[in-house]
Amino acid sequence: MPIADKMVKMVESASMIRKMFEEGIRMREKYGADNVFDFSLGNPDVPPPTIVKQTLLELIDDKATSHGYMPNPGYPHVRKAVAEYLNKEYHVGITSDLIVMTAGAAGALNDILRALLNPGEDILTPAPYFVGYNQYAFVAGANLKTIATLENFHLDLDAIAAGITKNTRVMLINSPNNPTGAVYNKEELSGLAKLLEAASQKFGKRIYLISDEPYRKIAYDVQVPCVFDVYPHTIVLTSYSKELSLAGERIGYLAIHPDAEDADLIAGAAGVANTMMYVNAPALFQQVVGKLQGVTVDIEIYRKRRDIFCEGLKEAGYELDIPKGAFYLFPKSPIEDDVKFVKLLSEQNILAVPGAAFGGPGHFRLSYAVPDKTIKNSLDGFKKALNSVK
Ligand code: PLP
């Protein structure tokens, strides 16, 4: 093998996703873009708010705009702007030295996992979970251990408590969740905090909580609780990929609770981890987001789609929970084999992702980061696919 043995499996799983991409392109060429209903990707189609482009143009015209290297954790003035914003939102007294600007949430996850984990240590995460976690754990040389959630995709605290061992270093959560859309409530997060504290004491080793929150601003009629409030040994990370529709610009950050054990050391290590992969977060977009704290896309666009899609699928006979956040639906597969059902959907020119890909078999994921008409025009195909297995 000309490539490293350890890469073979990773390439295989990446090529599954690539195949899906290619299938979408092939189908669009064959049937025409309007006749293909691609719900496979969480790539926001809602344009960034106008102010993003305005800010970008102003920065480009401004001689003071920097395009050079900066301290690896990011421009001091941008980290200060992020810290000030977080203090308005979270009231935990965060300082800019505890912020690291990153290449998206993926960059932040890679930085923090490499900062915290020794090779062979465990990351625990509730399943279903975002597939990227496998890759980030791989890069960190750590094991990703999944813990099944409850029927409603909320945290199964007993199962988590039973899954923690002396090898556990990190609990990684994601709320609003990709793929389920679940938003964890304050009580379950407090319960999680209690058991992480108890396990840290029991094993004489601090277990850190990482809260992956790129969908925090995309929530419907619920307040997404602040994880910093429940457990001080927490690192919150996010990006502007979804809330500002800037996924391709690769910009995000991580923030460490000031009272986290060894907070300064962790911030330093995460900054150094940054230099090992991509050196620093993109300069221009750091300066853009530094000026746009608190700005988001119009969430109502996603709410409307969620409602049309949920109503249409329920009417067609699908079983699903109405998600409280993010832009995914995670309906039950009408047959046990979700991979097979996704194939049946593709016969209707509908592209979905089997739940098994997220550690959630028996379901399938639909991203509604697509135009309303794609949703409306797909509903007939969903009905036909369901009828074909009845
Ligand atoms: N975490 C979750 C749960 C995601 O869904 C994604 C992207 O879809 C990421 C992290 C990575 O986000 P980014 O594009 O900001 O790196």
Side-chain angles (χ1 to χ4, degrees):
M1 265 291 173
I3 59 169
D5 292 345
K6 63 179 183 177
M7 282 301 292
V8 174
K9 220 173 104 203
M10 301 313 286
V11 173
E12 272 167 11
S13 60
S15 78
M16 266 169 61
I17 296 163
R18 206 171 47 236
K19 265 192 203 130
M20 200 153 211
F21 248 135
E22 285 161 6
E23 179 66 0
I25 295 168
R26 192 192 63 76
M27 282 169 81
R28 274 187 277 275
E29 274 170 6
K30 188 164 172 196
Y31 302 107
D34 282 351
N35 301 314
V36 177
F37 312 104
D38 188 349
F39 303 107
S40 64
L41 280 184
N43 192 11
D45 69 310
V46 175
T50 326
I51 194 166
V52 172
K53 227 176 216 171
Q54 275 167 11
T55 308
L56 189 52
L57 291 173
E58 277 164 25
L59 281 165
I60 288 168
D61 277 344
D62 186 346
K63 284 198 182 70
T65 299
S66 166
H67 300 283
Y69 290 127
M70 80 284 308
N72 297 114
Y75 286 112
H77 75 278
V78 175
R79 294 161 74 204
K80 186 161 172 271
V82 171
E84 279 169 4
Y85 175 71
L86 288 182
N87 285 331
K88 272 192 235 143
E89 287 256 296
Y90 297 150
H91 316 289
V92 286
I94 207 147
T95 47
S96 49
D97 51 321
L98 297 174
I99 307 287
V100 178
M101 299 306 295
T102 62
L109 281 158
N110 274 291
D111 286 347
I112 197 64
L113 293 178
R114 279 177 305 144
L116 287 176
L117 286 138
N118 287 308
E121 284 187 315
D122 293 344
I123 303 163
L124 253 55
T125 200
Y129 64 99
F130 171 56
V131 279
Y133 293 169
N134 288 314
Q135 285 146 350
Y136 314 149
F138 170 81
V139 172
N143 311 311
L144 187 72
K145 268 178 66 176
T146 59
I147 309 279
T149 46
L150 301 170
E151 186 88 348
N152 60 2
F153 303 121
H154 280 255
L155 299 174
D156 184 339
L157 296 179
D158 292 338
I160 293 172
I164 296 178
T165 69
K166 62 178 186 333
N167 205 36
T168 307
R169 169 61 81 189
V170 160
M171 176 82 213
L172 169 57
I173 58 171
N174 163 229
S175 166
N177 186 267
N178 173 9
T180 67
V183 176
Y184 302 147
N185 59 45
K186 188 98 185 235
E187 292 81 70
E188 66 194 306
L189 290 171
S190 301
L192 176 66
K194 261 195 206 128
L195 72 86
L196 292 181
E197 184 56 40
S200 299
Q201 298 304 328
K202 178 175 165 193
F203 295 117
K205 169 179 175 177
R206 173 53 57 198
I207 299 172
Y208 289 93
L209 178 59
I210 299 179
S211 186
D212 175 22
E213 305 185 356
Y215 303 96
R216 162 170 277 273
K217 297 290 165 62
I218 305 176
Y220 317 104
D221 308 320
V222 278
Q223 191 67 31
V224 181
C226 169
V227 181
F228 277 150
D229 284 348
V230 298
Y231 189 62
H233 311 287
T234 295
I235 296 94
V236 167
L237 61 91
T238 187
S239 72
Y240 301 90
S241 300
K242 320 288 175 173
E243 65 185 55
L244 282 182
S245 287
L246 291 175
E249 304 297 352
R250 313 307 307 135
I251 186 76
Y253 64 85
L254 62 86
I256 301 158
H257 193 299
D259 298 335
E261 213 167 286
D262 297 316
D264 293 338
L265 275 180
I266 297 170
V272 171
N274 225 350
T275 67
M276 292 169 175
M277 292 256 285
Y278 49 86
V279 184
N280 56 254
L284 190 54
F285 270 86
Q286 281 194 49
Q287 293 164 93
V288 172
V289 299
K291 288 177 180 287
L292 297 179
Q293 291 301 299
V295 178
T296 58
V297 292
D298 181 0
I299 307 305
E300 290 310 306
I301 298 175
Y302 289 123
R303 181 207 296 274
K304 185 172 157 225
R305 291 172 179 176
R306 176 198 68 160
D307 292 346
I308 300 171
F309 214 176
C310 285
E311 213 170 285
L313 290 179
K314 283 194 168 182
E315 223 173 86
Y318 286 87
E319 268 182 67
L320 73 158
D321 291 335
I322 298 177
K324 296 251 169 36
F327 42 56
Y328 307 100
L329 304 183
F330 203 57
K332 262 200 185 124
S333 168
I335 53 173
E336 204 182 324
D337 186 344
D338 47 297
V339 178
K340 192 167 164 200
F341 188 68
V342 162
K343 278 205 187 103
L344 291 175
L345 285 173
S346 77
E347 286 170 17
Q348 303 298 328
N349 291 356
I350 293 171
L351 295 177
V353 187
F358 307 94
H363 294 81
F364 57 98
R365 191 194 77 170
L366 302 166
S367 159
Y368 52 93
V370 297
D372 296 12
K373 74 169 195 266
T374 307
I375 297 172
K376 287 180 186 154
N377 294 343
S378 70
L379 292 174
D380 194 42
F382 276 105
K383 264 187 210 146
K384 287 186 180 141
L386 183 59
N387 288 339
S388 75
V389 295
K390 268 187 176 163

